[in-house]
């Protein structure tokens, strides 16, 4: 099995910063894409950013220039550095991973349990 464990959420004032981490563990052969999604109350889950194993990144327009996604392939860990946080960034943030698991390379998709990010004065 493959598990994702997130950390780093919390309460921050507007303009502040937070860093989220998500570590994947288990029977992993490779992880092609790791990403962060968020879901605000009453809204659908949306992509925030994702990153491939080669380092190609993709960001939602609403976070470009403020958020940075990165990953450590050796640790199967993805990070989301969030700067200049706004009220509208308040949401539950979920980690996602797409890859192949051992021993036969079956594909997997996993979600983390979610971590709350609250931006409030």
């Amino acid at each position: 099995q493959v598990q994702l464990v997130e950390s780093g959420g919390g309460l921050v004032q507007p303009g502040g910063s937070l860093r989220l981490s998500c570590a994947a563990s288990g029977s992993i052969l490779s992880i092609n894409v790791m990403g962060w999604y968020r879901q605000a109350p009453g809204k659908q889950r949306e992509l925030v950013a994702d990153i491939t194993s080669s380092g190609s990144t993709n960001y939602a327009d609403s976070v470009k220039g403020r958020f940075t996604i990165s990953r450590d392939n050796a640790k199967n860990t993805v990070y989301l550095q969030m700067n200049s946080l706004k009220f509208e960034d308040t949401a539950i943030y979920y980690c996602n991973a797409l890859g192949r698991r051992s021993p036969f390379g079956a594909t997997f998709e996993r979600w983390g349990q979610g971590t709350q990010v609250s931006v409030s004065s």
Side-chain angles (χ1 to χ4, degrees):
Q1 282 290 356
V2 177
Q3 300 86 32
L4 302 183
V5 177
E6 302 153 350
S7 60
L11 174 65
V12 64
Q13 292 185 337
S17 298
L18 282 175
R19 189 188 193 215
L20 306 182
S21 299
C22 172
S25 62
S27 304
I28 299 170
L29 280 180
S30 62
I31 303 179
N32 298 329
V33 182
M34 299 189 81
W36 290 96
Y37 290 71
R38 67 186 181 187
Q39 188 166 18
K43 295 188 176 181
Q44 289 189 329
R45 191 174 297 190
E46 63 175 1
L47 174 69
V48 176
D50 60 23
I51 183 168
T52 68
S53 56
S54 60
S56 295
T57 58
N58 178 43
Y59 293 93
D61 287 343
S62 59
V63 307
K64 284 181 181 177
R66 300 187 298 122
F67 291 9
T68 302
I69 190 170
S70 61
R71 65 187 278 180
D72 183 333
N73 290 331
K75 296 181 179 180
N76 288 328
T77 299
V78 64
Y79 307 95
L80 186 68
Q81 178 66 43
M82 304 185 292
N83 298 328
S84 303
L85 283 159
K86 304 177 180 180
F87 292 119
E88 51 264 41
D89 294 318
T90 295
I92 299 174
Y93 284 68
Y94 297 91
C95 176
N96 176 269
L98 298 170
R100 295 187 177 274
R101 57 185 176 88
S102 62
F104 303 115
T107 58
F108 71 82
E109 180 179 17
R110 292 291 184 269
W111 291 90
Q113 78 281 5
T115 185
Q116 178 71 48
V117 171
S118 297
V119 184
S120 175
S121 55

